[in-house]
Amino acid sequence: MIEGIKINCHSSIKIAKDKIVYIDPFRINEVPHDADYIFITHSHYDHFSTQDILKVAKIDTIFISTEDTKSSLELMGIPEEQIVIVEPNNKYEVKGIKFETVPSYNENKKYHPKENNWVGYVIELNGNQYYIAGDTDNISEIQNIKCDIAFLPIGGEFTMNPQEAADLANKTECKIVVPTHYAELVGTKEDLEEFIKLTNKEVKVLIKGE
């Protein structure tokens, strides 16, 4: 399951299976133009970076994103038929890829309001379920998510903290968890250590760079 997974930076994820999937491309060093699909969780600059999107996009890339990015995608010259605008709590099948959208928001912070309809994704690839949480707190709507691999923010301030992320990881019954959103723009390496300590020993923690 972990073969082909790369954490580029922060919350920027690449999953290379039968198809090449990017989530929130950010600070991409190469110019591979290899994305079959680009998923965007919301419009903040560290998740929706036009310069990095253009590095990975190719002529027929499918863009799956939230409403607040649509005009920017169109200004980038992306054809309308290659843009899929999503909302939370829906199931989709687009060009052979199946995925669900789940809510992603803050409860007691101002950064990611629920009314913005920003999302996380559960993406099915090669028979496995990959949950990408986006920038969210440990909200009630995501307590019962079932997945094989969970990508969870742990840095606090803008998202859940290590304790909250570990609690969610333990509830999802995932086989592998990948902590994101720490030790770069926000969060620390100590947050990672705390997260690992609190996560059930049955869950493998995959650390970026490994």
Side-chain angles (χ1 to χ4, degrees):
M1 284 184 293
I2 64 174
E3 183 179 354
I5 293 177
K6 180 180 180 182
I7 309 300
N8 295 301
C9 171
H10 194 47
S11 294
S12 174
I13 299 159
K14 179 181 182 180
I15 306 174
K17 298 295 182 181
D18 291 343
K19 298 292 186 179
I20 306 297
V21 175
Y22 285 84
I23 302 97
D24 294 349
F26 180 60
R27 292 185 178 173
I28 304 295
N29 295 323
E30 305 84 12
V31 188
H33 294 306
D34 61 348
D36 293 302
Y37 304 90
I38 297 175
F39 287 78
I40 304 295
T41 60
H42 64 292
S43 59
H44 285 166
Y45 79 95
D46 53 332
H47 296 261
F48 181 71
S49 167
T50 56
Q51 64 180 6
D52 292 296
I53 287 171
L54 291 173
K55 288 180 181 179
V56 302
K58 55 183 181 177
I59 193 168
D60 60 348
T61 299
I62 301 299
F63 293 81
I64 297 157
S65 191
T66 49
E67 178 67 36
D68 52 332
T69 68
K70 185 178 180 181
S71 60
S72 296
L73 289 169
E74 291 172 343
L75 286 172
M76 292 164 61
I78 309 302
E80 184 177 358
E81 62 269 20
Q82 291 172 221
I83 302 173
V84 179
I85 299 302
V86 298
E87 295 181 346
N89 301 309
N90 283 310
K91 295 183 178 181
Y92 300 84
E93 183 170 356
V94 179
K95 300 288 186 179
I97 193 169
K98 295 180 180 180
F99 62 94
E100 299 180 26
T101 52
V102 296
S104 183
Y105 63 87
N106 293 141
E107 292 182 300
N108 301 307
K109 314 178 186 77
K110 62 182 179 181
Y111 307 107
H112 306 90
K114 184 176 183 178
E115 57 267 25
N116 283 9
N117 281 334
W118 290 339
V119 299
Y121 295 98
V122 181
I123 306 171
E124 182 178 327
L125 294 168
N126 292 57
N128 292 310
Q129 303 290 328
Y130 297 80
Y131 170 47
I132 297 91
D135 281 6
T136 187
D137 289 334
N138 188 4
I139 54 178
S140 60
E141 294 95 326
I142 60 177
Q143 297 303 301
N144 297 314
I145 283 178
K146 302 300 181 185
C147 61
D148 298 294
I149 300 183
F151 298 79
L152 304 179
I154 68 169
E157 186 172 352
F158 304 108
T159 68
M160 60 184 97
N161 62 33
Q163 295 82 6
E164 293 163 335
D167 178 68
L168 180 59
N170 296 336
K171 286 182 178 177
T172 62
E173 300 181 0
C174 59
K175 300 177 180 71
I176 299 168
V177 62
V178 184
T180 64
H181 217 275
Y182 72 94
E184 286 171 313
L185 303 185
V186 68
T188 65
K189 292 181 179 179
E190 287 73 26
D191 290 327
L192 174 62
E193 294 170 2
E194 180 74 2
F195 175 75
I196 293 171
K197 182 175 72 173
L198 295 172
T199 302
N200 288 344
K201 61 181 180 180
E202 293 84 5
V203 178
K204 176 179 174 58
V205 179
L206 181 63
I207 302 169
K208 55 188 174 183
E210 290 188 349

